[in-house]
PDB file of all heavy atoms in Angstrom:
ATOM      1  N   ARG A  11       5.327  17.836   1.373  1.00  0.00           N
ATOM      2  CA  ARG A  11       5.157  18.178  -0.061  1.00  0.00           C
ATOM      3  C   ARG A  11       5.177  19.702  -0.168  1.00  0.00           C
ATOM      4  O   ARG A  11       5.783  20.283  -1.068  1.00  0.00           O
ATOM      5  CB  ARG A  11       3.798  17.725  -0.501  1.00  0.00           C
ATOM      6  CG  ARG A  11       3.613  17.879  -1.912  1.00  0.00           C
ATOM      7  CD  ARG A  11       2.400  17.146  -2.298  1.00  0.00           C
ATOM      8  NE  ARG A  11       1.793  17.734  -3.554  1.00  0.00           N
ATOM      9  CZ  ARG A  11       0.489  17.655  -3.763  1.00  0.00           C
ATOM     10  NH1 ARG A  11      -0.318  17.139  -2.928  1.00  0.00           N
ATOM     11  NH2 ARG A  11       0.073  18.201  -4.860  1.00  0.00           N
ATOM     12  N   PHE A  32     -10.853  39.482   1.840  1.00  0.00           N
ATOM     13  CA  PHE A  32     -12.030  39.583   0.914  1.00  0.00           C
ATOM     14  C   PHE A  32     -13.182  38.919   1.555  1.00  0.00           C
ATOM     15  O   PHE A  32     -14.266  39.381   1.457  1.00  0.00           O
ATOM     16  CB  PHE A  32     -11.554  38.829  -0.360  1.00  0.00           C
ATOM     17  CG  PHE A  32     -12.650  38.728  -1.404  1.00  0.00           C
ATOM     18  CD1 PHE A  32     -13.143  39.882  -1.983  1.00  0.00           C
ATOM     19  CD2 PHE A  32     -13.092  37.528  -1.906  1.00  0.00           C
ATOM     20  CE1 PHE A  32     -14.137  39.857  -2.962  1.00  0.00           C
ATOM     21  CE2 PHE A  32     -14.081  37.451  -2.868  1.00  0.00           C
ATOM     22  CZ  PHE A  32     -14.582  38.578  -3.393  1.00  0.00           C
ATOM     23  N   SER A 105     -26.604   4.059  -6.858  1.00  0.00           N
ATOM     24  CA  SER A 105     -27.435   3.378  -7.829  1.00  0.00           C
ATOM     25  C   SER A 105     -27.136   3.817  -9.214  1.00  0.00           C
ATOM     26  O   SER A 105     -27.110   3.109 -10.117  1.00  0.00           O
ATOM     27  CB  SER A 105     -28.917   3.656  -7.432  1.00  0.00           C
ATOM     28  OG  SER A 105     -29.766   3.401  -8.583  1.00  0.00           O
ATOM     29  N   ARG A 108     -23.542   2.342 -10.164  1.00  0.00           N
ATOM     30  CA  ARG A 108     -23.159   0.955 -10.058  1.00  0.00           C
ATOM     31  C   ARG A 108     -24.212   0.002 -10.614  1.00  0.00           C
ATOM     32  O   ARG A 108     -23.952  -1.208 -10.626  1.00  0.00           O
ATOM     33  CB  ARG A 108     -22.955   0.671  -8.599  1.00  0.00           C
ATOM     34  CG  ARG A 108     -21.762   1.386  -7.835  1.00  0.00           C
ATOM     35  CD  ARG A 108     -20.468   1.166  -8.589  1.00  0.00           C
ATOM     36  NE  ARG A 108     -19.371   1.664  -7.836  1.00  0.00           N
ATOM     37  CZ  ARG A 108     -18.613   2.639  -8.105  1.00  0.00           C
ATOM     38  NH1 ARG A 108     -18.872   3.399  -9.168  1.00  0.00           N
ATOM     39  NH2 ARG A 108     -17.578   3.088  -7.335  1.00  0.00           N
ATOM     40  N   THR A 277     -11.129  17.512   3.850  1.00  0.00           N
ATOM     41  CA  THR A 277      -9.791  17.540   3.346  1.00  0.00           C
ATOM     42  C   THR A 277      -8.884  16.491   3.598  1.00  0.00           C
ATOM     43  O   THR A 277      -7.816  16.317   3.112  1.00  0.00           O
ATOM     44  CB  THR A 277      -9.115  18.863   3.759  1.00  0.00           C
ATOM     45  OG1 THR A 277      -9.174  18.885   5.241  1.00  0.00           O
ATOM     46  CG2 THR A 277      -9.873  20.048   3.289  1.00  0.00           C
TER      47      THR A 277
ATOM     48  N   VAL C  14     -22.032  -4.781 -12.558  1.00  0.00           N
ATOM     49  CA  VAL C  14     -23.309  -5.511 -12.588  1.00  0.00           C
ATOM     50  C   VAL C  14     -23.418  -6.610 -13.545  1.00  0.00           C
ATOM     51  O   VAL C  14     -24.170  -7.615 -13.423  1.00  0.00           O
ATOM     52  CB  VAL C  14     -24.494  -4.511 -12.942  1.00  0.00           C
ATOM     53  CG1 VAL C  14     -25.747  -5.188 -13.031  1.00  0.00           C
ATOM     54  CG2 VAL C  14     -24.464  -3.407 -11.949  1.00  0.00           C
ATOM     55  N   GLY C  30     -31.331  -1.278  -8.456  1.00  0.00           N
ATOM     56  CA  GLY C  30     -30.894   0.046  -8.813  1.00  0.00           C
ATOM     57  C   GLY C  30     -31.978   1.087  -8.871  1.00  0.00           C
ATOM     58  O   GLY C  30     -31.911   2.162  -8.262  1.00  0.00           O
ATOM     59  N   ASP C 121      -6.926  25.746   8.521  1.00  0.00           N
ATOM     60  CA  ASP C 121      -8.286  25.352   8.872  1.00  0.00           C
ATOM     61  C   ASP C 121      -9.103  26.550   9.131  1.00  0.00           C
ATOM     62  O   ASP C 121     -10.279  26.525   8.660  1.00  0.00           O
ATOM     63  CB  ASP C 121      -8.207  24.442  10.126  1.00  0.00           C
ATOM     64  CG  ASP C 121      -7.704  23.032   9.857  1.00  0.00           C
ATOM     65  OD1 ASP C 121      -8.053  22.633   8.639  1.00  0.00           O
ATOM     66  OD2 ASP C 121      -7.141  22.425  10.668  1.00  0.00           O
ATOM     67  N   TRP C 185     -18.711  37.405  -4.373  1.00  0.00           N
ATOM     68  CA  TRP C 185     -18.346  37.212  -2.912  1.00  0.00           C
ATOM     69  C   TRP C 185     -19.224  36.215  -2.259  1.00  0.00           C
ATOM     70  O   TRP C 185     -18.841  35.341  -1.532  1.00  0.00           O
ATOM     71  CB  TRP C 185     -18.515  38.569  -2.233  1.00  0.00           C
ATOM     72  CG  TRP C 185     -18.140  38.624  -0.871  1.00  0.00           C
ATOM     73  CD1 TRP C 185     -16.863  38.673  -0.367  1.00  0.00           C
ATOM     74  CD2 TRP C 185     -18.933  38.515   0.309  1.00  0.00           C
ATOM     75  NE1 TRP C 185     -16.898  38.657   1.061  1.00  0.00           N
ATOM     76  CE2 TRP C 185     -18.183  38.548   1.446  1.00  0.00           C
ATOM     77  CE3 TRP C 185     -20.351  38.384   0.449  1.00  0.00           C
ATOM     78  CZ2 TRP C 185     -18.762  38.490   2.716  1.00  0.00           C
ATOM     79  CZ3 TRP C 185     -20.861  38.367   1.733  1.00  0.00           C
ATOM     80  CH2 TRP C 185     -20.109  38.393   2.826  1.00  0.00           C
ATOM     81  N   GLN C 200      -8.506  17.310  -3.131  1.00  0.00           N
ATOM     82  CA  GLN C 200      -8.020  16.510  -2.083  1.00  0.00           C
ATOM     83  C   GLN C 200      -7.992  14.950  -2.420  1.00  0.00           C
ATOM     84  O   GLN C 200      -7.410  14.166  -1.746  1.00  0.00           O
ATOM     85  CB  GLN C 200      -8.814  16.692  -0.889  1.00  0.00           C
ATOM     86  CG  GLN C 200      -8.868  18.101  -0.335  1.00  0.00           C
ATOM     87  CD  GLN C 200      -7.546  18.489   0.410  1.00  0.00           C
ATOM     88  OE1 GLN C 200      -6.954  17.653   0.990  1.00  0.00           O
ATOM     89  NE2 GLN C 200      -7.189  19.718   0.299  1.00  0.00           N
ATOM     90  N   LEU C 204      -1.448  11.842  -5.203  1.00  0.00           N
ATOM     91  CA  LEU C 204      -0.213  12.534  -5.231  1.00  0.00           C
ATOM     92  C   LEU C 204       0.823  11.984  -6.127  1.00  0.00           C
ATOM     93  O   LEU C 204       1.695  12.663  -6.617  1.00  0.00           O
ATOM     94  CB  LEU C 204       0.326  12.628  -3.757  1.00  0.00           C
ATOM     95  CG  LEU C 204      -0.519  13.408  -2.808  1.00  0.00           C
ATOM     96  CD1 LEU C 204       0.001  13.266  -1.435  1.00  0.00           C
ATOM     97  CD2 LEU C 204      -0.529  14.903  -3.292  1.00  0.00           C
TER      98      LEU C 204
END
Side-chain angles (χ1 to χ4, degrees):
Chain A
R11 191 168 155 212
F32 179 60
S105 158
R108 300 297 195 252
T277 54
Chain C
V14 178
D121 282 331
W185 182 82
Q200 302 284 327
L204 293 172

